[in-house]
Amino acid sequence: IEGAPYERGYQHGHLMSREIPEYLARCASELGSENEWAAYRTTASALFLRGFDREILEEMRGIADGASDAGARWQSRRIDLADIVVANVTVEMGELRSAVSATPTGLESLTFDKPAYARDAVTDHCSAFAATGPATRDGKMVIGHVTWWPLTLAEQTNVMLDIKPAAGHRPPSIGRPANA
């Protein structure tokens, strides 16, 4: 995919139009139920939407438009920006209940429970690395990721994007000549 943010998103959505509704279904399952999707959209919009920078918002809007124009539907309607935002913040939304209960309201005494990492071994953090150029034997990009959150969202996810932004840096891609 290449070009300006909306154009990149549109290409992404068009190319992934079959997979995006499947992924939205997995997001709904991870959060609880497809029947609650309207509430997930409201929550994602209220808490996360305005925190994305313009470039990311344009790209997500392009994903929604590209997928919908290619025939993708979610809950018998076109996919829109709010749906794509939910898809991008499903993990965070899944942590809201514990985050809210751990955040003081100001009415509690100044006694707090120890954080989870002080009580128990932490087992739910991802681990990743990326290396390129002189950090690798052949100068090509090497990326690794270990996922430590529920794999419902990662199931059937096997996508690598080669992104050529209209502006900014494009890292070298696997299988593409460095001067392409």
Side-chain angles (χ1 to χ4, degrees):
I1 61 175
E2 60 185 307
Y6 179 84
E7 184 179 8
R8 290 191 314 260
Y10 192 92
Q11 294 165 22
H12 179 165
H14 198 271
L15 290 167
M16 303 286 299
S17 62
R18 183 184 60 79
E19 293 86 357
I20 290 171
E22 293 171 0
Y23 187 73
L24 295 177
R26 289 195 306 277
C27 291
S29 176
E30 183 65 32
L31 292 170
S33 166
E34 282 188 29
N35 296 332
E36 299 296 320
W37 192 256
Y40 306 147
R41 290 165 46 89
T42 299
T43 301
S45 180
L47 298 179
F48 300 104
L49 178 65
R50 287 150 192 87
F52 289 104
D53 66 30
R54 182 178 174 155
E55 180 175 0
I56 299 299
L57 287 171
E58 289 177 14
E59 195 164 344
M60 286 193 291
R61 172 67 185 271
I63 291 169
D65 290 351
S68 292
D69 287 355
R73 296 293 179 267
W74 174 241
Q75 298 189 330
S76 302
R77 62 171 173 73
R78 287 177 61 88
I79 294 167
D80 65 14
L81 176 62
D83 296 319
I84 301 302
V85 171
V86 173
N88 279 275
V89 299
T90 293
V91 172
E92 290 82 354
M93 287 177 60
E95 299 298 324
L96 285 176
R97 180 171 287 124
S98 61
V100 168
S101 66
T103 304
T105 63
L107 301 176
E108 300 82 5
S109 68
L110 296 179
T111 309
F112 300 97
D113 294 333
K114 288 183 180 180
Y117 60 80
R119 290 191 309 263
D120 306 311
V122 177
T123 60
D124 62 352
H125 293 311
C126 297
S127 177
F129 72 89
T132 188
T136 65
R137 186 176 353 173
D138 60 5
K140 293 182 179 178
M141 185 183 318
V142 177
I143 299 172
H145 187 274
V146 177
T147 303
W148 287 66
W149 44 269
L151 293 178
T152 307
L153 300 177
E155 178 185 21
Q156 301 171 337
T157 302
N158 187 15
V159 175
M160 180 176 288
L161 294 174
D162 178 8
I163 301 171
K164 183 178 181 183
H169 179 67
R170 180 185 190 196
S173 293
I174 297 170
R176 180 176 51 83
N179 62 354

